Amino acid sequence: MRKYFRYLLSYKLDLFFYILLSTLIWGITLVSPYITGRYIDYLLNTKTMELIYIFSLIILFIGTSKTILSYVFQMLSIRFEAKTAFDLNYDILEHVKKLPLSFFKKVNATYLNQRINLDSNNVISFLINDVIGMCFKWISFLIAVIVLFKINNIIAISLVVLVPLYLILYLSFKSSLFNIAYILKEEQDHFIGQMNEQLLNIKQVKFHSIHDYLGNQIKLSFNKLFAIALRHARVSSLFSSCDNIINNLFRLVLFFFGGMAIIKGKLSIGEFTMINNYFTVVIKGIRNTLDFSKNYQRTKVSQKRLDELLEMKVEQNGLIKLDSINSIELKDIHFSYEKGPKILESFSYKFEKGKIYCIIGENGTGKSTLIELLLGLVGEKYQGKVFYNDKSIEQLDMYNIRRKLIGVSEQEPVLFNDTLINNIILGNKELKKKTISEWMKKLSGETIIKRFGEDKKMKIYGKSSNISGGEKQKISIIRAVIKEPDLIVLDEPTSALDQFSTNKLKEILKEIKDNKIIIMVTHDESLINISDEIIKLEPAKYKYTV
């Protein structure tokens, strides 16, 4: 847990004022019972209006000060917690984005995002509200106990003797609280992930009219979650019930011995009021300790889940940057998925500038895998070597190379919920609007310009619902070629294009191929015909013709 404290220390000034305001509010809260008790005793013994005026002014000052300080503290607390939680969330997300592509093929993205967000917020909230807050509560507990001993030793001893009961209670429930909290968190995230997945794929739901089927799947998931939630509620309720029993036992001791002391004249009404109030502080301290212990177990679950992600090995990325890509060579590549047949076996090939390469083959023969290997996305789960300009891909900074020297158009292009221009430039501010318009016209994208305007600032909606499949594919192709990359990879680039746009694309590829490596995965005969070399993949082997 200590390694996450650095996020709090990133905002030292906020942390300083958080502690300062906490101290002031804590001091006011702690002194109030003493002032109330003394006021009652003075009032019983000295019945003057002057006394009432003085104490009324004191109470007004204390109340106003606490109100103002509490408001400022609340605003600071929200800002402090939000900033630190975001920083942790951001760092975890950045780490996860660098995990191998194979990891994401096995995990639900919505579940993963929910898990990162909730766990990051839980850890930060615990560190700020529980750990720092608990320090003040423990000090309050000790001061309240000291005050109780000063007022009446017998009552104080009677109350302190019962404190070990709370410790026994916590130790009895510690393991159960952690285990059930972990299971519940996992099941909650899976359930939310399943719900989001159905909405994200609403088009397919409607296509196949599977509302009832998926509805039943949600009901089954809910029943499982509900059963776990009930188990969690039973453990938590039993824990709270035992807490209430011990609390009532404390109060019984207080009223019995306190009443006897008043009758015998050993305790004043004001002192009894002080004992009652400080007794409440003691009980709150103990209860807060119990709450702290419960929250600690829950936060340990979040910490464990964050640690699990942080301990995952990120994909390898070297340090060498390239100014250009002249050739890509694969030597003796062997690849297979876990517990599956070999996809590529003894595959060797060299791609060079000035040529258009076409990869063809049936589904499952490794076309997509070959592209992922070329782009350095497979990680270490293959045998053989991949070279860029005779340098091993393991030594290369592929993040930099993919960003600057490689352009990719996917078979199912992903466009973000952002403006058209931002979807094309992807953060590359050097690209000019004029250049984008020129490429649009080259690929018969005038209709896109008309609908989105010359400034291209109109937004593309979620899941690209306000553009056609052909327009989406054109945007993806323009995104791939506009940065003048040395390597262009096009996966089924004409699957949604009309014949006119397809012809335009062929003209563009023949025009720019001299100083580029162009690799296509396609079933389109017209694209195959303009290729210089064709690689035909078959199960666990390959052959090519020029």
Side-chain angles (χ1 to χ4, degrees):
M1 193 75 71
R2 277 179 289 180
K3 66 182 177 183
Y4 296 112
F5 261 109
R6 67 184 178 88
Y7 289 94
L8 275 61
L9 296 175
S10 299
Y11 300 95
K12 291 185 176 66
L13 191 62
D14 285 346
L15 180 60
F16 170 76
F17 281 110
Y18 182 92
I19 294 173
L20 176 63
L21 289 170
S22 296
T23 304
L24 294 172
I25 294 169
W26 163 77
I28 291 171
T29 303
L30 206 58
V31 78
S32 294
Y34 180 83
I35 292 173
T36 302
R38 284 293 171 232
Y39 175 61
I40 291 171
D41 280 345
Y42 287 145
L43 198 60
L44 290 173
N45 297 319
T46 309
K47 299 176 182 179
T48 63
M49 287 302 297
E50 184 181 353
L51 181 68
I52 296 174
Y53 292 145
I54 292 171
F55 273 92
S56 295
L57 287 172
I58 292 172
I59 294 300
L60 177 63
F61 174 76
I62 289 174
T64 304
S65 300
K66 187 175 180 181
T67 301
I68 294 171
L69 290 171
S70 296
Y71 172 79
V72 176
F73 174 78
Q74 188 69 19
M75 293 298 100
L76 174 67
S77 178
I78 291 170
R79 188 180 73 171
F80 184 36
E81 189 172 335
K83 289 192 296 186
T84 48
F86 171 77
D87 288 350
L88 176 57
N89 203 322
Y90 179 85
D91 286 350
I92 299 291
L93 190 60
E94 287 302 299
H95 175 84
V96 167
K97 286 194 289 188
K98 292 179 181 178
L99 295 178
L101 196 60
S102 56
F103 167 77
F104 296 95
K105 293 179 179 179
K106 298 182 287 186
V107 69
N108 181 297
T110 305
Y111 153 77
L112 186 61
N113 192 46
Q114 179 87 358
R115 170 176 169 175
I116 293 169
N117 185 46
L118 289 179
D119 289 341
S120 297
N121 281 287
N122 285 344
V123 167
I124 293 299
S125 177
F126 177 78
L127 291 177
I128 293 176
N129 298 318
D130 290 270
V131 174
I132 296 177
M134 202 61 215
C135 293
F136 289 100
K137 289 163 188 174
W138 281 334
I139 295 171
S140 298
F141 173 82
L142 292 174
I143 291 175
V145 169
I146 292 170
V147 172
L148 289 176
F149 270 100
K150 282 189 171 293
I151 296 172
N152 191 294
N153 288 336
I154 296 175
I155 295 175
I157 292 170
S158 302
L159 294 174
V160 171
V161 166
L162 296 174
V163 170
L165 290 176
Y166 274 102
L167 181 60
I168 294 169
L169 177 64
Y170 165 65
L171 293 175
S172 301
F173 282 85
K174 175 184 174 183
S175 179
S176 300
L177 288 169
F178 174 81
N179 292 333
I180 193 62
Y182 186 90
I183 296 170
L184 181 62
K185 271 183 181 290
E186 283 287 303
E187 203 57 43
Q188 284 173 332
D189 289 347
H190 280 297
F191 178 70
I192 293 170
Q194 191 174 11
M195 289 180 69
N196 286 339
E197 186 178 39
Q198 293 191 12
L199 293 178
L200 287 171
N201 297 300
I202 191 65
K203 192 173 182 180
Q204 284 70 30
V205 173
K206 290 179 181 292
F207 273 160
H208 302 289
S209 194
I210 51 176
H211 307 76
D212 291 341
Y213 168 72
L214 293 177
N216 288 331
Q217 294 294 101
I218 285 289
K219 287 177 182 178
L220 290 173
S221 294
F222 172 75
N223 289 337
K224 186 177 179 183
L225 173 62
F226 184 63
I228 294 170
L230 285 179
R231 283 172 54 198
H232 181 269
R234 276 196 294 269
V235 174
S236 296
S237 297
L238 186 58
F239 182 80
S240 298
S241 297
C242 294
D243 168 44
N244 288 331
I245 291 171
I246 296 174
N247 180 43
N248 290 330
L249 190 58
F250 268 88
R251 197 158 290 280
L252 176 64
V253 169
L254 170 65
F255 277 74
F256 180 79
F257 287 103
M260 288 182 61
I262 290 173
I263 291 172
K264 294 178 180 179
K266 294 181 179 180
L267 194 69
S268 70
I269 301 295
E271 287 173 332
F272 180 81
T273 303
M274 278 191 274
I275 290 176
N276 188 46
N277 287 330
Y278 282 114
F279 164 75
T280 302
V281 174
V282 171
I283 291 298
K284 277 187 177 179
I286 297 171
R287 280 191 161 178
N288 286 329
T289 302
L290 289 176
D291 289 337
F292 178 86
S293 65
K294 283 200 295 185
N295 292 338
Y296 177 66
Q297 295 305 321
R298 292 195 193 106
T299 307
K300 272 180 67 180
V301 171
S302 292
Q303 179 199 351
K304 181 182 177 183
R305 300 203 310 170
L306 291 178
D307 288 345
E308 286 172 355
L309 293 173
L310 289 173
E311 288 165 7
M312 290 181 182
K313 190 176 180 182
V314 298
E315 58 192 352
Q316 186 173 345
N317 192 54
L319 299 174
I320 299 175
K321 294 179 173 63
L322 296 180
D323 295 324
S324 64
I325 301 173
N326 300 313
S327 66
I328 305 171
E329 186 173 8
L330 291 86
K331 286 187 178 180
D332 197 25
I333 298 294
H334 296 255
F335 179 85
S336 63
Y337 291 107
E338 290 180 19
K339 300 179 181 178
K342 282 194 174 181
I343 305 297
L344 295 170
E345 185 174 8
S346 301
F347 184 93
S348 297
Y349 202 85
K350 189 169 185 177
F351 300 88
E352 296 178 305
K353 264 187 177 177
K355 291 183 179 180
I356 298 175
Y357 299 88
C358 188
I359 302 172
I360 61 174
E362 297 176 4
N363 292 336
T365 53
K367 300 188 297 295
S368 297
T369 301
L370 180 56
I371 295 301
E372 290 174 5
L373 271 162
L374 281 168
L375 299 177
L377 298 174
V378 174
E380 301 173 356
K381 296 190 175 183
Y382 68 94
Q383 294 176 313
K385 290 289 183 181
V386 180
F387 297 93
Y388 275 62
N389 300 353
D390 299 322
K391 292 184 174 63
S392 173
I393 198 170
E394 296 168 357
Q395 301 174 300
L396 301 177
D397 182 350
M398 289 306 296
Y399 292 151
N400 179 272
I401 291 170
R402 287 197 293 264
R403 185 169 58 252
K404 293 186 175 180
L405 302 177
I406 299 176
V408 180
S409 175
E410 311 94 324
Q411 183 176 359
E412 291 292 337
V414 175
L415 301 183
F416 300 99
N417 186 13
D418 204 341
T419 61
L420 171 62
I421 190 168
N422 285 342
N423 266 287
I424 292 174
I425 66 174
L426 296 179
N428 187 348
K429 301 296 184 183
E430 296 177 5
L431 296 175
K432 298 178 180 178
K433 292 179 185 177
K434 184 180 178 183
T435 309
I436 296 171
S437 296
E438 289 171 355
W439 276 106
M440 286 278 190
K441 290 171 184 175
K442 282 183 180 181
L443 199 58
S444 69
E446 293 91 344
T447 55
I448 303 176
I449 296 175
K450 286 178 183 177
R451 290 207 301 112
F452 282 82
E454 285 292 338
D455 62 359
K456 304 165 195 68
K457 288 184 178 179
M458 181 175 167
K459 270 200 169 187
I460 293 175
Y461 300 154
K463 300 197 79 173
S464 312
S465 59
N466 59 333
I467 60 172
S468 68
E471 289 173 331
K472 185 163 72 167
Q473 195 151 48
K474 288 176 185 178
I475 292 169
S476 176
I477 293 169
I478 291 167
R479 185 164 65 188
V481 300
I482 196 170
K483 61 182 177 181
E484 297 290 336
D486 288 344
L487 169 63
I488 296 175
V489 178
L490 306 173
D491 192 354
E492 298 292 356
T494 60
S495 59
L497 297 185
D498 56 35
Q499 190 58 52
F500 182 76
S501 298
T502 298
N503 292 335
K504 285 280 190 180
L505 175 62
K506 289 192 293 183
E507 291 174 11
I508 290 170
L509 295 178
K510 287 189 284 187
E511 181 185 324
I512 65 174
K513 78 169 191 176
D514 288 345
N515 62 342
K516 300 186 187 304
I517 300 171
I518 300 174
I519 302 174
M520 298 185 294
V521 176
T522 185
H523 291 92
D524 188 332
E525 286 292 336
S526 65
L527 287 183
I528 295 173
N529 291 336
I530 68 165
S531 301
D532 297 297
E533 296 189 16
I534 300 170
I535 304 165
K536 183 176 181 181
L537 295 178
E538 296 177 0
K541 59 182 178 179
Y542 82 96
K543 59 184 177 183
Y544 72 93
T545 56
V546 180

